[in-house]
Amino acid sequence: VETWHLVGREADFELELVEEVAVGGGTVAVHPTPAGFFATSAICTHEEARLYDGLLEGVEIQCPRHLARFDVRDGRPLCAPAEIPLRTYPCKVIDGEVWVWAPDQPSS
Ligand code: FES
């Protein structure tokens, strides 16, 4: 089942600080960027490092393990060693609340 999940208040996120949040029994990574909020898989497609320890710069997340970078808007990998895009999830802010459209168990 896919639905909108409330993942937090906009004011509680820090710009360019990626956070892993619980969604429907799984997790997603929420990226507060200068271009708005985006949500992706919480786990790198290369060797499954968790992205919340990564460096978010603009709309690019850098994996903490082998430093692959992804565009968080569409998940596409921007450099080696990653080749597979991150899954992305629709994300919206309404009245200061951040919502992510995702299935239950999104990272599993
Ligand atoms: S696990 Fe992310 S780049 Fe290797």
Side-chain angles (χ1 to χ4, degrees), residues 44 46-49 63 65-68 81:
C44 182
H46 178 233
E47 287 185 359
E48 303 194 347
C63 176
R65 189 169 302 166
H66 308 110
L67 310 184

Side-chain angles (χ1 to χ4, degrees), residues 50-86:
R50 302 195 87 83
L51 293 174
Y52 72 89
D53 274 336
L55 186 66
L56 179 62
E57 282 186 317
V59 294
E60 296 181 10
I61 180 71
Q62 183 182 59
C63 176
R65 189 169 302 166
H66 308 110
L67 310 184
R69 284 182 293 113
F70 300 87
D71 187 320
V72 299
R73 295 172 297 185
D74 56 10
R76 72 195 153 98
L78 299 170
C79 69
E83 294 179 349
I84 302 168
L86 294 174

